[in-house]
Amino acid sequence: MVRSTCLVLTLICIALAALVAPAAVAAQNDVSTHYLLARPLPASANVRPDMGFPYGWHRNHQSPIHHGMDYLNRRGTPVIAAGGGTVFYAGNDTEMIVGPQPNFYGNVVILQHDLSAPEGGTIFTLYGHLNSIDVQTGQTVNQGDVIGRVGATGIAIGSHLHFEVRVGNPTDYNAVRNPELWYPPLPGRGKIIGRIVDVNGNLAMGIRFVLSTASSVLPSFTYAEPSIPVDPMYGENFVYGDLGAGCYRLRVRGGSGYAYDEPICINAGQTIFLEVHLKS
Ligand SMILES: [Zn+2]
């Protein structure tokens, strides 16, 4: 009964989406995903990452290039395991260096998951700037277990959770992937995995782009340096998640106008891959 109701609702949604879809939209494709993890915070917290400082961005050289995503939350907010596994390390990163310098992440937890990336390599998750740590190295955890509390230890501007996904080597600062590629969009929302390419066919680095509707403008940035690892499955240079279902214009400024300005539509629960070719 539940299954047949869901099927009917799905068909209605598909029919409605077809009715409201504009005649001409940018080429887009559903893409296979590897959503193997959950978010690192409970639903009662702010679970949406700060898209003003996404993975791969350096705030116009005002910050070290970002190897994870930030989730702005009050000090003391519970942080949960994004997947089941074992605590690889729990402590301060002055004792074990896992970043570009000692005491970069402050109080940090690294979990080793019983999962592998599609290209091979064990998946690890890192939780930085914690106010306090609730687990010990070697301990087994289940997805959703509280492992610590949000804080601002190490090098942090304000209280937030810094979350990373690392593949293969848990202590390698350069073994990262964009965390947004590892968990699904929130219910009722969708996600774009994208490549913005310049006129020479190269990934366009550090480009500001906006996703806009009639009533809102959502800005973000592509990865700023070629050194930031991309996912071998996508070769992406940005990911924008938790987009409300509907149609947007994706715009990149260039010259006296736009180097790109095309519509893009996304359905609830959909992840699409988009390649953008800049005209200038
Ligand atoms: Zn961060």
Side-chain angles (χ1 to χ4, degrees):
M1 180 59 194
V2 170
R3 176 175 286 228
S4 62
T5 305
C6 289
L7 180 62
V8 169
L9 286 174
T10 303
L11 291 172
I12 290 171
C13 287
I14 291 170
L16 284 174
L19 283 174
V20 300
V25 296
Q28 60 189 56
N29 296 298
D30 284 296
V31 66
S32 62
T33 55
H34 47 66
Y35 293 145
L36 302 176
L37 301 171
R39 296 191 191 226
L41 292 150
S44 56
N46 172 27
V47 298
R48 297 178 66 171
D50 173 13
M51 292 306 292
F53 188 37
Y55 176 85
W57 182 229
H58 52 26
R59 290 193 179 103
N60 289 318
H61 301 283
Q62 299 300 302
S63 298
I65 198 155
H66 206 194
H67 282 213
M69 289 296 243
D70 290 345
Y71 306 75
L72 310 183
N73 278 280
R74 280 192 214 181
R75 184 186 302 263
T77 302
V79 173
I80 61 174
T86 308
V87 180
F88 174 82
Y89 181 70
N92 193 285
D93 71 336
T94 52
E95 291 148 38
M96 176 185 281
I97 310 301
V98 294
Q101 62 192 79
N103 198 32
F104 184 71
Y105 296 110
N107 294 324
V108 63
V109 171
I110 301 177
L111 300 183
Q112 176 172 347
H113 302 287
D114 305 322
L115 299 166
S116 294
E119 71 272 23
T122 300
I123 296 171
F124 298 84
T125 50
L126 180 151
Y127 311 75
H129 309 313
L130 300 177
N131 191 56
S132 60
I133 292 174
D134 291 7
V135 290
Q136 294 183 331
T137 302
Q139 184 179 331
T140 300
V141 294
N142 296 312
Q143 188 274 317
D145 285 355
V146 174
I147 57 172
R149 305 278 166 172
V150 172
T153 56
I155 300 174
I157 303 170
S159 171
H160 68 276
L161 172 67
H162 171 95
F163 178 60
E164 290 183 13
V165 173
R166 296 185 176 187
V167 173
N169 186 346
T171 61
D172 183 356
Y173 183 58
N174 294 307
V176 290
R177 302 284 188 274
N178 190 328
E180 276 285 306
L181 293 169
W182 298 88
Y183 54 70
L186 290 169
R189 294 175 180 270
K191 188 173 294 198
I192 299 172
I193 300 171
R195 282 168 61 85
I196 299 182
V197 174
D198 67 20
V199 290
N200 297 316
N202 300 316
L203 283 180
M205 295 295 169
I207 297 289
R208 184 181 189 271
F209 65 92
V210 300
L211 288 160
S212 59
T213 67
S215 58
S216 66
V217 175
L218 305 171
S220 196
F221 303 89
T222 64
Y223 305 168
E225 304 282 351
S227 61
I228 194 77
V230 303
D231 193 300
M233 217 162 124
Y234 307 114
E236 85 291 346
N237 66 353
F238 78 91
V239 186
Y240 208 115
D242 301 332
L243 291 163
C247 292
Y248 301 80
R249 294 198 78 83
L250 194 154
R251 288 176 166 142
V252 179
R253 285 203 173 276
S256 58
Y258 292 107
Y260 187 87
D261 180 9
E262 297 288 341
I264 177 83
C265 296
I266 190 156
N267 299 323
Q270 187 182 31
T271 298
I272 60 176
F273 183 84
L274 178 69
E275 184 156 305
V276 167
H277 290 266
L278 302 180
K279 289 178 283 190
S280 59

